[in-house]
Amino acid sequence: MNQKSMNPKNILVTGGAGYIGSHACVELLQAGFRVVVVDNLSNSKTESLSRVRQITGLPLTFYQCDIRDKTALADIFAHEDINTVMHFAGLKAVGESCAKPALYYHNNVYGTLALTEAMSEANVKQLVFSSSATVYGESGCTQYSEHFPLGAINPYGRSKAMIEDILRDLSAADILNQAKAPWKIALLRYFNPIGAHESGLIGEDPNGIPNNLMPYISQVAIGKLAQLSVFGNDYPTPDGTGIRDYIHVVDLVKGHIKAIAALEGGTFESGGCKAYNLGTGQGYSVLEIINAFEKVSGRRINYKIAPRRAGDLAECFANPELALKELGWKAEKNLLDMVADTWNWQTKNPQGYASVEAGCASTEATG
Ligand code: NAD
Ligand code: WQD
């Protein structure tokens, strides 16, 4: 046995109240896991967790806690019988990370160090980590495989690359020291997660004006924002606009469940730390996304062509073969599913979770 005898179905989800984390909670609960969420609510609301309970009809346990608070984490590990951690907690805005790099390194890098120390002390050494395609940087490629060189170009991306390095080093040390219970770590490099749960009860609820394309389009369609700026139409792509690998958030979180199974299986039998791309392998341009949104919503998206955004690549999509081979996972939903579920969430929650929180003081999701 690699770990102390714990219930393999007990999962700690950091950042579980956030966009991707809340979708992961639904999938985990529906797959029979017991879920304990740790979130400091710096970019989320407990309403998302209430909705998770509404979708699944199942309880989950919630701790409002910062992952940098090692004492609090140690207490949680002492009281909950945790087997594996899914680590979503982190700050993710590229622009903000350029303005406040220390905040990003402290929150994301130090936060992960504190988490892994608490895990190690509790002898919990299975981890699924939210990495990002942004770690690849500008290598001049369009389709990225896991062995490609890394080169993040902003503090947010570098925080993810640093965490990957730390996790690889922790794992390598255990293998070198022939540890009895070595780290087993899956680094999941997400491409561009979009969409929402098909119920329309949970989805992406960005603070302020969205940075990312899909929530921006969605808010233009609903009338919250007047006009989308298309950042550049002079890229060397068929229609001149940037191409990305958009992946449905539900497909993405299913990849996490597969990763847990892989950590328990043969690939990770002797421990290890491996990166997997989670993308569809198919790229779409900004104009293709706008067209799909107009088709699904029946609304016209008011847009103008604007200058390129600093730091943007022309084209970036995944080679998802390794995840298929080793995790047995591949994305199943298509672009119209992604757009339809985004629009369903947007129309059912025009103000995101805000309106509900304002009128409902107690939404504690402890169950
Ligand atoms: P999100 O902001 O919706 O969720 C992150 C959650 O972590 C939030 O609920 C926030 O309150 C919490 N959190 C942040 N710092 C914390 C801390 N110190 N202690 C406890 N909780 C903390 O973001 P998301 O889109 O759900 O992203 C989840 C993870 O996936 C992040 O690590 C992000 O970097 C990564 N990721 C996201 C994308 C994307 O496009 N959404 C792409 C690649 C990687
Ligand atoms: C997609 C395309 C833009 C907004 C970012 C982060 C990355 C990862 C995912 C966390 C690009 C264009 C966008 C707009 C536009 N996050 N666009 N008008 O930049 O691929 O990745 O989110 O890890 O780290 O950098 O996603 O949605 O911002 O942009 O024309 O108002 O849409 O130029 O071509 P990106 P995005």
Side-chain angles (χ1 to χ4, degrees), residues 94 132 134 156 192 212-213 229-231 244 246 309 312:
V94 172
S132 169
T134 198
Y156 164 70
N192 289 59
N212 296 114
L213 180 66
S229 291
V230 173
F231 297 140
R244 295 291 181 276
Y246 297 93
R309 185 172 65 178
D312 271 356

